[in-house]
PDB file of all heavy atoms in Angstrom:
ATOM      1  N   ILE A   1       0.845  -1.216  -0.002  1.00 98.00           N
ATOM      2  CA  ILE A   1       0.005   0.000   0.002  1.00 98.00           C
ATOM      3  C   ILE A   1       0.874   1.256  -0.004  1.00 98.00           C
ATOM      4  O   ILE A   1       0.727   2.133  -0.857  1.00 98.00           O
ATOM      5  CB  ILE A   1      -0.961   0.011   1.219  1.00 98.00           C
ATOM      6  CG1 ILE A   1      -1.909  -1.195   1.180  1.00 98.00           C
ATOM      7  CG2 ILE A   1      -1.755   1.317   1.271  1.00 98.00           C
ATOM      8  CD1 ILE A   1      -2.750  -1.386   2.453  1.00 98.00           C
ATOM      9  N   SER A   2       1.814   1.343   0.955  1.00 98.00           N
ATOM     10  CA  SER A   2       2.652   2.549   1.037  1.00 98.00           C
ATOM     11  C   SER A   2       3.685   2.587  -0.082  1.00 98.00           C
ATOM     12  O   SER A   2       4.092   3.658  -0.538  1.00 98.00           O
ATOM     13  CB  SER A   2       3.335   2.667   2.404  1.00 98.00           C
ATOM     14  OG  SER A   2       3.951   1.461   2.774  1.00 98.00           O
ATOM     15  N   GLU A   3       4.078   1.415  -0.557  1.00 98.00           N
ATOM     16  CA  GLU A   3       5.005   1.382  -1.701  1.00 98.00           C
ATOM     17  C   GLU A   3       4.346   2.039  -2.914  1.00 98.00           C
ATOM     18  O   GLU A   3       4.961   2.869  -3.607  1.00 98.00           O
ATOM     19  CB  GLU A   3       5.382  -0.068  -2.006  1.00 98.00           C
ATOM     20  CG  GLU A   3       6.464  -0.190  -3.064  1.00 98.00           C
ATOM     21  CD  GLU A   3       6.744  -1.637  -3.446  1.00 98.00           C
ATOM     22  OE1 GLU A   3       6.384  -2.543  -2.688  1.00 98.00           O
ATOM     23  OE2 GLU A   3       7.323  -1.826  -4.517  1.00 98.00           O
ATOM     24  N   GLU A   4       3.075   1.690  -3.154  1.00 98.00           N
ATOM     25  CA  GLU A   4       2.345   2.289  -4.281  1.00 98.00           C
ATOM     26  C   GLU A   4       2.068   3.775  -4.055  1.00 98.00           C
ATOM     27  O   GLU A   4       2.167   4.573  -4.987  1.00 98.00           O
ATOM     28  CB  GLU A   4       1.014   1.550  -4.494  1.00 98.00           C
ATOM     29  CG  GLU A   4       1.187   0.170  -5.100  1.00 98.00           C
ATOM     30  CD  GLU A   4      -0.117  -0.599  -5.223  1.00 98.00           C
ATOM     31  OE1 GLU A   4      -1.209  -0.004  -4.975  1.00 98.00           O
ATOM     32  OE2 GLU A   4      -0.070  -1.781  -5.559  1.00 98.00           O
ATOM     33  N   ILE A   5       1.734   4.150  -2.804  1.00 98.00           N
ATOM     34  CA  ILE A   5       1.463   5.564  -2.512  1.00 98.00           C
ATOM     35  C   ILE A   5       2.656   6.419  -2.937  1.00 98.00           C
ATOM     36  O   ILE A   5       2.504   7.469  -3.573  1.00 98.00           O
ATOM     37  CB  ILE A   5       1.150   5.792  -1.015  1.00 98.00           C
ATOM     38  CG1 ILE A   5      -0.217   5.192  -0.639  1.00 98.00           C
ATOM     39  CG2 ILE A   5       1.163   7.288  -0.667  1.00 98.00           C
ATOM     40  CD1 ILE A   5      -0.523   5.163   0.867  1.00 98.00           C
ATOM     41  N   LYS A   6       3.862   5.976  -2.596  1.00 98.00           N
ATOM     42  CA  LYS A   6       5.075   6.735  -2.934  1.00 98.00           C
ATOM     43  C   LYS A   6       5.179   6.968  -4.446  1.00 98.00           C
ATOM     44  O   LYS A   6       5.396   8.088  -4.902  1.00 98.00           O
ATOM     45  CB  LYS A   6       6.322   5.998  -2.428  1.00 98.00           C
ATOM     46  CG  LYS A   6       6.690   6.296  -0.978  1.00 98.00           C
ATOM     47  CD  LYS A   6       7.872   5.454  -0.571  1.00 98.00           C
ATOM     48  CE  LYS A   6       8.744   5.960   0.497  1.00 98.00           C
ATOM     49  NZ  LYS A   6       9.118   7.252   0.785  1.00 98.00           N
ATOM     50  N   LYS A   7       5.027   5.895  -5.203  1.00 98.00           N
ATOM     51  CA  LYS A   7       5.126   6.001  -6.670  1.00 98.00           C
ATOM     52  C   LYS A   7       4.032   6.896  -7.236  1.00 98.00           C
ATOM     53  O   LYS A   7       4.263   7.732  -8.104  1.00 98.00           O
ATOM     54  CB  LYS A   7       5.004   4.608  -7.303  1.00 98.00           C
ATOM     55  CG  LYS A   7       6.244   3.745  -7.146  1.00 98.00           C
ATOM     56  CD  LYS A   7       6.070   2.423  -7.918  1.00 98.00           C
ATOM     57  CE  LYS A   7       7.180   1.451  -7.537  1.00 98.00           C
ATOM     58  NZ  LYS A   7       6.710   0.069  -7.474  1.00 98.00           N
ATOM     59  N   GLN A   8       2.817   6.699  -6.743  1.00 98.00           N
ATOM     60  CA  GLN A   8       1.666   7.427  -7.292  1.00 98.00           C
ATOM     61  C   GLN A   8       1.712   8.906  -6.924  1.00 98.00           C
ATOM     62  O   GLN A   8       1.340   9.765  -7.725  1.00 98.00           O
ATOM     63  CB  GLN A   8       0.368   6.770  -6.800  1.00 98.00           C
ATOM     64  CG  GLN A   8       0.162   5.388  -7.408  1.00 98.00           C
ATOM     65  CD  GLN A   8      -0.929   4.594  -6.706  1.00 98.00           C
ATOM     66  OE1 GLN A   8      -1.053   4.630  -5.467  1.00 98.00           O
ATOM     67  NE2 GLN A   8      -1.733   3.870  -7.456  1.00 98.00           N
ATOM     68  N   LEU A   9       2.192   9.196  -5.717  1.00 98.00           N
ATOM     69  CA  LEU A   9       2.291  10.590  -5.294  1.00 98.00           C
ATOM     70  C   LEU A   9       3.350  11.319  -6.118  1.00 98.00           C
ATOM     71  O   LEU A   9       3.193  12.507  -6.445  1.00 98.00           O
ATOM     72  CB  LEU A   9       2.621  10.657  -3.799  1.00 98.00           C
ATOM     73  CG  LEU A   9       2.085  11.868  -3.054  1.00 98.00           C
ATOM     74  CD1 LEU A   9       0.586  12.042  -3.260  1.00 98.00           C
ATOM     75  CD2 LEU A   9       2.376  11.749  -1.566  1.00 98.00           C
ATOM     76  N   GLN A  10       4.401  10.594  -6.468  1.00 98.00           N
ATOM     77  CA  GLN A  10       5.434  11.167  -7.343  1.00 98.00           C
ATOM     78  C   GLN A  10       4.799  11.628  -8.659  1.00 98.00           C
ATOM     79  O   GLN A  10       5.080  12.716  -9.151  1.00 98.00           O
ATOM     80  CB  GLN A  10       6.517  10.108  -7.604  1.00 98.00           C
ATOM     81  CG  GLN A  10       7.721  10.594  -8.411  1.00 98.00           C
ATOM     82  CD  GLN A  10       8.571  11.614  -7.667  1.00 98.00           C
ATOM     83  OE1 GLN A  10       8.988  11.392  -6.546  1.00 98.00           O
ATOM     84  NE2 GLN A  10       8.809  12.755  -8.286  1.00 98.00           N
ATOM     85  N   GLU A  11       3.891  10.825  -9.194  1.00 98.00           N
ATOM     86  CA  GLU A  11       3.192  11.199 -10.436  1.00 98.00           C
ATOM     87  C   GLU A  11       2.271  12.391 -10.226  1.00 98.00           C
ATOM     88  O   GLU A  11       2.230  13.303 -11.035  1.00 98.00           O
ATOM     89  CB  GLU A  11       2.365  10.008 -10.958  1.00 98.00           C
ATOM     90  CG  GLU A  11       3.197   8.886 -11.557  1.00 98.00           C
ATOM     91  CD  GLU A  11       2.364   7.623 -11.769  1.00 98.00           C
ATOM     92  OE1 GLU A  11       1.119   7.719 -11.900  1.00 98.00           O
ATOM     93  OE2 GLU A  11       2.966   6.522 -11.788  1.00 98.00           O
ATOM     94  N   HIS A  12       1.528  12.379  -9.125  1.00 98.00           N
ATOM     95  CA  HIS A  12       0.535  13.436  -8.879  1.00 98.00           C
ATOM     96  C   HIS A  12       1.164  14.753  -8.440  1.00 98.00           C
ATOM     97  O   HIS A  12       0.735  15.826  -8.862  1.00 98.00           O
ATOM     98  CB  HIS A  12      -0.446  13.007  -7.769  1.00 98.00           C
ATOM     99  CG  HIS A  12      -1.473  12.019  -8.207  1.00 98.00           C
ATOM    100  ND1 HIS A  12      -2.512  12.332  -9.058  1.00 98.00           N
ATOM    101  CD2 HIS A  12      -1.645  10.702  -7.899  1.00 98.00           C
ATOM    102  CE1 HIS A  12      -3.266  11.263  -9.253  1.00 98.00           C
ATOM    103  NE2 HIS A  12      -2.757  10.255  -8.558  1.00 98.00           N
ATOM    104  N   GLU A  13       2.138  14.671  -7.541  1.00 98.00           N
ATOM    105  CA  GLU A  13       2.634  15.865  -6.849  1.00 98.00           C
ATOM    106  C   GLU A  13       4.113  16.144  -7.094  1.00 98.00           C
ATOM    107  O   GLU A  13       4.645  17.140  -6.597  1.00 98.00           O
ATOM    108  CB  GLU A  13       2.417  15.718  -5.330  1.00 98.00           C
ATOM    109  CG  GLU A  13       0.954  15.752  -4.904  1.00 98.00           C
ATOM    110  CD  GLU A  13       0.344  17.155  -4.970  1.00 98.00           C
ATOM    111  OE1 GLU A  13       1.101  18.141  -4.853  1.00 98.00           O
ATOM    112  OE2 GLU A  13      -0.879  17.264  -5.158  1.00 98.00           O
ATOM    113  N   GLY A  14       4.776  15.238  -7.802  1.00 98.00           N
ATOM    114  CA  GLY A  14       6.213  15.409  -8.037  1.00 98.00           C
ATOM    115  C   GLY A  14       7.053  15.171  -6.791  1.00 98.00           C
ATOM    116  O   GLY A  14       8.200  15.584  -6.708  1.00 98.00           O
ATOM    117  N   LYS A  15       6.466  14.498  -5.787  1.00 98.00           N
ATOM    118  CA  LYS A  15       7.255  14.119  -4.592  1.00 98.00           C
ATOM    119  C   LYS A  15       6.679  12.830  -4.020  1.00 98.00           C
ATOM    120  O   LYS A  15       5.484  12.551  -4.162  1.00 98.00           O
ATOM    121  CB  LYS A  15       7.222  15.236  -3.549  1.00 98.00           C
ATOM    122  CG  LYS A  15       5.843  15.584  -3.007  1.00 98.00           C
ATOM    123  CD  LYS A  15       5.929  16.620  -1.897  1.00 98.00           C
ATOM    124  CE  LYS A  15       4.576  16.792  -1.197  1.00 98.00           C
ATOM    125  NZ  LYS A  15       4.631  17.693  -0.059  1.00 98.00           N
ATOM    126  N   GLU A  16       7.546  12.047  -3.386  1.00 98.00           N
ATOM    127  CA  GLU A  16       7.131  10.728  -2.885  1.00 98.00           C
ATOM    128  C   GLU A  16       6.393  10.783  -1.558  1.00 98.00           C
ATOM    129  O   GLU A  16       5.584   9.918  -1.255  1.00 98.00           O
ATOM    130  CB  GLU A  16       8.373   9.837  -2.680  1.00 98.00           C
ATOM    131  CG  GLU A  16       8.923   9.223  -3.941  1.00 98.00           C
ATOM    132  CD  GLU A  16       9.869   8.064  -3.615  1.00 98.00           C
ATOM    133  OE1 GLU A  16      10.437   8.046  -2.500  1.00 98.00           O
ATOM    134  OE2 GLU A  16      10.025   7.187  -4.472  1.00 98.00           O
ATOM    135  N   ASN A  17       6.704  11.790  -0.761  1.00 98.00           N
ATOM    136  CA  ASN A  17       6.195  11.798   0.610  1.00 98.00           C
ATOM    137  C   ASN A  17       5.066  12.797   0.819  1.00 98.00           C
ATOM    138  O   ASN A  17       5.232  13.988   0.532  1.00 98.00           O
ATOM    139  CB  ASN A  17       7.328  12.122   1.598  1.00 98.00           C
ATOM    140  CG  ASN A  17       8.362  11.011   1.652  1.00 98.00           C
ATOM    141  OD1 ASN A  17       8.108   9.897   1.228  1.00 98.00           O
ATOM    142  ND2 ASN A  17       9.545  11.327   2.166  1.00 98.00           N
ATOM    143  N   PRO A  18       3.931  12.332   1.349  1.00 98.00           N
ATOM    144  CA  PRO A  18       2.877  13.268   1.728  1.00 98.00           C
ATOM    145  C   PRO A  18       3.242  13.952   3.056  1.00 98.00           C
ATOM    146  O   PRO A  18       4.255  13.615   3.669  1.00 98.00           O
ATOM    147  CB  PRO A  18       1.659  12.362   1.907  1.00 98.00           C
ATOM    148  CG  PRO A  18       2.246  11.055   2.349  1.00 98.00           C
ATOM    149  CD  PRO A  18       3.606  10.950   1.696  1.00 98.00           C
ATOM    150  N   ASP A  19       2.419  14.887   3.480  1.00 98.00           N
ATOM    151  CA  ASP A  19       2.617  15.494   4.805  1.00 98.00           C
ATOM    152  C   ASP A  19       1.940  14.668   5.907  1.00 98.00           C
ATOM    153  O   ASP A  19       2.397  14.639   7.039  1.00 98.00           O
ATOM    154  CB  ASP A  19       2.063  16.926   4.810  1.00 98.00           C
ATOM    155  CG  ASP A  19       2.798  17.797   3.799  1.00 98.00           C
ATOM    156  OD1 ASP A  19       4.033  17.904   3.918  1.00 98.00           O
ATOM    157  OD2 ASP A  19       2.158  18.318   2.870  1.00 98.00           O
ATOM    158  N   TYR A  20       0.853  13.995   5.521  1.00 98.00           N
ATOM    159  CA  TYR A  20       0.092  13.176   6.490  1.00 98.00           C
ATOM    160  C   TYR A  20      -0.334  11.867   5.822  1.00 98.00           C
ATOM    161  O   TYR A  20      -0.715  11.870   4.649  1.00 98.00           O
ATOM    162  CB  TYR A  20      -1.204  13.885   6.923  1.00 98.00           C
ATOM    163  CG  TYR A  20      -1.022  15.165   7.669  1.00 98.00           C
ATOM    164  CD1 TYR A  20      -0.833  16.371   6.981  1.00 98.00           C
ATOM    165  CD2 TYR A  20      -1.078  15.206   9.061  1.00 98.00           C
ATOM    166  CE1 TYR A  20      -0.672  17.573   7.664  1.00 98.00           C
ATOM    167  CE2 TYR A  20      -0.929  16.398   9.751  1.00 98.00           C
ATOM    168  CZ  TYR A  20      -0.717  17.583   9.052  1.00 98.00           C
ATOM    169  OH  TYR A  20      -0.571  18.771   9.721  1.00 98.00           O
ATOM    170  N   VAL A  21      -0.298  10.774   6.609  1.00 98.00           N
ATOM    171  CA  VAL A  21      -0.969   9.532   6.199  1.00 98.00           C
ATOM    172  C   VAL A  21      -1.933   9.179   7.327  1.00 98.00           C
ATOM    173  O   VAL A  21      -1.540   9.109   8.500  1.00 98.00           O
ATOM    174  CB  VAL A  21       0.022   8.375   5.976  1.00 98.00           C
ATOM    175  CG1 VAL A  21      -0.736   7.113   5.555  1.00 98.00           C
ATOM    176  CG2 VAL A  21       1.057   8.724   4.926  1.00 98.00           C
ATOM    177  N   ILE A  22      -3.207   8.976   6.962  1.00 98.00           N
ATOM    178  CA  ILE A  22      -4.252   8.731   7.962  1.00 98.00           C
ATOM    179  C   ILE A  22      -4.876   7.353   7.722  1.00 98.00           C
ATOM    180  O   ILE A  22      -5.211   7.006   6.584  1.00 98.00           O
ATOM    181  CB  ILE A  22      -5.361   9.811   7.882  1.00 98.00           C
ATOM    182  CG1 ILE A  22      -4.753  11.217   8.020  1.00 98.00           C
ATOM    183  CG2 ILE A  22      -6.438   9.569   8.934  1.00 98.00           C
ATOM    184  CD1 ILE A  22      -5.768  12.355   7.863  1.00 98.00           C
ATOM    185  N   ALA A  23      -5.013   6.562   8.796  1.00 98.00           N
ATOM    186  CA  ALA A  23      -5.654   5.248   8.667  1.00 98.00           C
ATOM    187  C   ALA A  23      -6.352   4.883   9.971  1.00 98.00           C
ATOM    188  O   ALA A  23      -5.919   5.299  11.048  1.00 98.00           O
ATOM    189  CB  ALA A  23      -4.611   4.183   8.331  1.00 98.00           C
ATOM    190  N   CYS A  24      -7.434   4.115   9.863  1.00 98.00           N
ATOM    191  CA  CYS A  24      -8.096   3.622  11.079  1.00 98.00           C
ATOM    192  C   CYS A  24      -7.302   2.439  11.633  1.00 98.00           C
ATOM    193  O   CYS A  24      -6.582   1.763  10.898  1.00 98.00           O
ATOM    194  CB  CYS A  24      -9.541   3.219  10.780  1.00 98.00           C
ATOM    195  SG  CYS A  24      -9.718   1.823   9.655  1.00 98.00           S
ATOM    196  N   VAL A  25      -7.444   2.215  12.943  1.00 98.00           N
ATOM    197  CA  VAL A  25      -6.720   1.121  13.597  1.00 98.00           C
ATOM    198  C   VAL A  25      -7.659   0.306  14.492  1.00 98.00           C
ATOM    199  O   VAL A  25      -8.288   0.853  15.395  1.00 98.00           O
ATOM    200  CB  VAL A  25      -5.558   1.671  14.475  1.00 98.00           C
ATOM    201  CG1 VAL A  25      -4.928   0.548  15.276  1.00 98.00           C
ATOM    202  CG2 VAL A  25      -4.502   2.327  13.612  1.00 98.00           C
ATOM    203  N   GLY A  26      -7.742  -0.996  14.194  1.00 96.00           N
ATOM    204  CA  GLY A  26      -8.371  -1.961  15.107  1.00 96.00           C
ATOM    205  C   GLY A  26      -7.200  -2.752  15.664  1.00 96.00           C
ATOM    206  O   GLY A  26      -6.607  -2.430  16.681  1.00 96.00           O
ATOM    207  N   GLY A  27      -6.807  -3.791  14.923  1.00 95.00           N
ATOM    208  CA  GLY A  27      -5.507  -4.448  15.179  1.00 95.00           C
ATOM    209  C   GLY A  27      -4.409  -3.638  14.509  1.00 95.00           C
ATOM    210  O   GLY A  27      -3.326  -3.456  15.039  1.00 95.00           O
ATOM    211  N   GLY A  28      -4.735  -3.154  13.296  1.00 97.00           N
ATOM    212  CA  GLY A  28      -3.838  -2.203  12.642  1.00 97.00           C
ATOM    213  C   GLY A  28      -3.173  -2.633  11.352  1.00 97.00           C
ATOM    214  O   GLY A  28      -2.119  -2.104  10.989  1.00 97.00           O
ATOM    215  N   SER A  29      -3.789  -3.561  10.575  1.00 97.00           N
ATOM    216  CA  SER A  29      -3.098  -4.017   9.356  1.00 97.00           C
ATOM    217  C   SER A  29      -3.132  -2.989   8.237  1.00 97.00           C
ATOM    218  O   SER A  29      -2.150  -2.810   7.516  1.00 97.00           O
ATOM    219  CB  SER A  29      -3.637  -5.365   8.878  1.00 97.00           C
ATOM    220  OG  SER A  29      -4.994  -5.289   8.509  1.00 97.00           O
ATOM    221  N   ASN A  30      -4.271  -2.298   8.078  1.00 98.00           N
ATOM    222  CA  ASN A  30      -4.291  -1.318   6.976  1.00 98.00           C
ATOM    223  C   ASN A  30      -3.396  -0.131   7.304  1.00 98.00           C
ATOM    224  O   ASN A  30      -2.706   0.409   6.432  1.00 98.00           O
ATOM    225  CB  ASN A  30      -5.737  -0.919   6.615  1.00 98.00           C
ATOM    226  CG  ASN A  30      -6.219   0.357   7.269  1.00 98.00           C
ATOM    227  OD1 ASN A  30      -5.925   1.471   6.825  1.00 98.00           O
ATOM    228  ND2 ASN A  30      -6.972   0.208   8.356  1.00 98.00           N
ATOM    229  N   ALA A  31      -3.364   0.239   8.590  1.00 98.00           N
ATOM    230  CA  ALA A  31      -2.485   1.345   9.004  1.00 98.00           C
ATOM    231  C   ALA A  31      -1.018   0.956   8.838  1.00 98.00           C
ATOM    232  O   ALA A  31      -0.200   1.728   8.320  1.00 98.00           O
ATOM    233  CB  ALA A  31      -2.768   1.734  10.455  1.00 98.00           C
ATOM    234  N   ALA A  32      -0.660  -0.268   9.241  1.00 98.00           N
ATOM    235  CA  ALA A  32       0.736  -0.712   9.097  1.00 98.00           C
ATOM    236  C   ALA A  32       1.143  -0.706   7.624  1.00 98.00           C
ATOM    237  O   ALA A  32       2.259  -0.300   7.271  1.00 98.00           O
ATOM    238  CB  ALA A  32       0.919  -2.100   9.702  1.00 98.00           C
ATOM    239  N   GLY A  33       0.246  -1.133   6.749  1.00 98.00           N
ATOM    240  CA  GLY A  33       0.541  -1.139   5.325  1.00 98.00           C
ATOM    241  C   GLY A  33       0.715   0.257   4.764  1.00 98.00           C
ATOM    242  O   GLY A  33       1.618   0.524   3.954  1.00 98.00           O
ATOM    243  N   ALA A  34      -0.144   1.174   5.221  1.00 98.00           N
ATOM    244  CA  ALA A  34      -0.089   2.557   4.733  1.00 98.00           C
ATOM    245  C   ALA A  34       1.093   3.330   5.326  1.00 98.00           C
ATOM    246  O   ALA A  34       1.626   4.247   4.707  1.00 98.00           O
ATOM    247  CB  ALA A  34      -1.397   3.277   5.069  1.00 98.00           C
ATOM    248  N   PHE A  35       1.516   2.940   6.536  1.00 98.00           N
ATOM    249  CA  PHE A  35       2.625   3.638   7.213  1.00 98.00           C
ATOM    250  C   PHE A  35       3.998   3.077   6.840  1.00 98.00           C
ATOM    251  O   PHE A  35       5.003   3.774   6.942  1.00 98.00           O
ATOM    252  CB  PHE A  35       2.489   3.502   8.748  1.00 98.00           C
ATOM    253  CG  PHE A  35       1.304   4.197   9.373  1.00 98.00           C
ATOM    254  CD1 PHE A  35       1.008   3.978  10.727  1.00 98.00           C
ATOM    255  CD2 PHE A  35       0.488   5.056   8.659  1.00 98.00           C
ATOM    256  CE1 PHE A  35      -0.077   4.604  11.341  1.00 98.00           C
ATOM    257  CE2 PHE A  35      -0.605   5.684   9.265  1.00 98.00           C
ATOM    258  CZ  PHE A  35      -0.878   5.451  10.604  1.00 98.00           C
ATOM    259  N   TYR A  36       4.062   1.818   6.436  1.00 98.00           N
ATOM    260  CA  TYR A  36       5.308   1.040   6.424  1.00 98.00           C
ATOM    261  C   TYR A  36       6.492   1.774   5.785  1.00 98.00           C
ATOM    262  O   TYR A  36       7.552   1.899   6.385  1.00 98.00           O
ATOM    263  CB  TYR A  36       5.079  -0.298   5.698  1.00 98.00           C
ATOM    264  CG  TYR A  36       6.160  -1.324   5.968  1.00 98.00           C
ATOM    265  CD1 TYR A  36       6.073  -2.190   7.047  1.00 98.00           C
ATOM    266  CD2 TYR A  36       7.289  -1.420   5.155  1.00 98.00           C
ATOM    267  CE1 TYR A  36       7.052  -3.134   7.318  1.00 98.00           C
ATOM    268  CE2 TYR A  36       8.277  -2.362   5.409  1.00 98.00           C
ATOM    269  CZ  TYR A  36       8.156  -3.208   6.485  1.00 98.00           C
ATOM    270  OH  TYR A  36       9.134  -4.130   6.755  1.00 98.00           O
ATOM    271  N   HIS A  37       6.336   2.247   4.578  1.00 98.00           N
ATOM    272  CA  HIS A  37       7.457   2.887   3.883  1.00 98.00           C
ATOM    273  C   HIS A  37       7.651   4.351   4.296  1.00 98.00           C
ATOM    274  O   HIS A  37       8.515   5.034   3.741  1.00 98.00           O
ATOM    275  CB  HIS A  37       7.287   2.746   2.366  1.00 98.00           C
ATOM    276  CG  HIS A  37       7.553   1.346   1.893  1.00 98.00           C
ATOM    277  ND1 HIS A  37       8.806   0.791   1.824  1.00 98.00           N
ATOM    278  CD2 HIS A  37       6.708   0.357   1.513  1.00 98.00           C
ATOM    279  CE1 HIS A  37       8.736  -0.458   1.400  1.00 98.00           C
ATOM    280  NE2 HIS A  37       7.474  -0.748   1.208  1.00 98.00           N
ATOM    281  N   PHE A  38       6.858   4.782   5.271  1.00 98.00           N
ATOM    282  CA  PHE A  38       7.017   6.136   5.818  1.00 98.00           C
ATOM    283  C   PHE A  38       7.497   6.123   7.272  1.00 98.00           C
ATOM    284  O   PHE A  38       7.681   7.176   7.872  1.00 98.00           O
ATOM    285  CB  PHE A  38       5.700   6.922   5.726  1.00 98.00           C
ATOM    286  CG  PHE A  38       5.175   7.044   4.322  1.00 98.00           C
ATOM    287  CD1 PHE A  38       4.012   6.408   3.929  1.00 98.00           C
ATOM    288  CD2 PHE A  38       5.864   7.795   3.366  1.00 98.00           C
ATOM    289  CE1 PHE A  38       3.526   6.514   2.633  1.00 98.00           C
ATOM    290  CE2 PHE A  38       5.394   7.908   2.061  1.00 98.00           C
ATOM    291  CZ  PHE A  38       4.222   7.262   1.694  1.00 98.00           C
ATOM    292  N   TYR A  39       7.676   4.926   7.853  1.00 98.00           N
ATOM    293  CA  TYR A  39       8.075   4.835   9.268  1.00 98.00           C
ATOM    294  C   TYR A  39       9.224   5.781   9.598  1.00 98.00           C
ATOM    295  O   TYR A  39       9.221   6.458  10.621  1.00 98.00           O
ATOM    296  CB  TYR A  39       8.554   3.415   9.610  1.00 98.00           C
ATOM    297  CG  TYR A  39       7.483   2.376   9.836  1.00 98.00           C
ATOM    298  CD1 TYR A  39       7.789   1.012   9.701  1.00 98.00           C
ATOM    299  CD2 TYR A  39       6.178   2.706  10.219  1.00 98.00           C
ATOM    300  CE1 TYR A  39       6.820   0.023   9.920  1.00 98.00           C
ATOM    301  CE2 TYR A  39       5.225   1.731  10.432  1.00 98.00           C
ATOM    302  CZ  TYR A  39       5.553   0.387  10.283  1.00 98.00           C
ATOM    303  OH  TYR A  39       4.613  -0.583  10.502  1.00 98.00           O
ATOM    304  N   ASP A  40      10.228   5.794   8.737  1.00 97.00           N
ATOM    305  CA  ASP A  40      11.445   6.551   9.039  1.00 97.00           C
ATOM    306  C   ASP A  40      11.535   7.877   8.298  1.00 97.00           C
ATOM    307  O   ASP A  40      12.566   8.529   8.312  1.00 97.00           O
ATOM    308  CB  ASP A  40      12.679   5.687   8.744  1.00 97.00           C
ATOM    309  CG  ASP A  40      12.740   4.486   9.678  1.00 97.00           C
ATOM    310  OD1 ASP A  40      12.092   4.523  10.741  1.00 97.00           O
ATOM    311  OD2 ASP A  40      13.419   3.502   9.342  1.00 97.00           O
TER     312      ASP A  40
END
């Protein structure tokens, strides 16, 4: 999920990183996927 976000944002905005990534958390799999390549 976050791997694709980086590539797609590069196309849309000319940069890989957004300012915010927002996801709901129960156990947290969708959030972990959306956050993964932005952890650091």
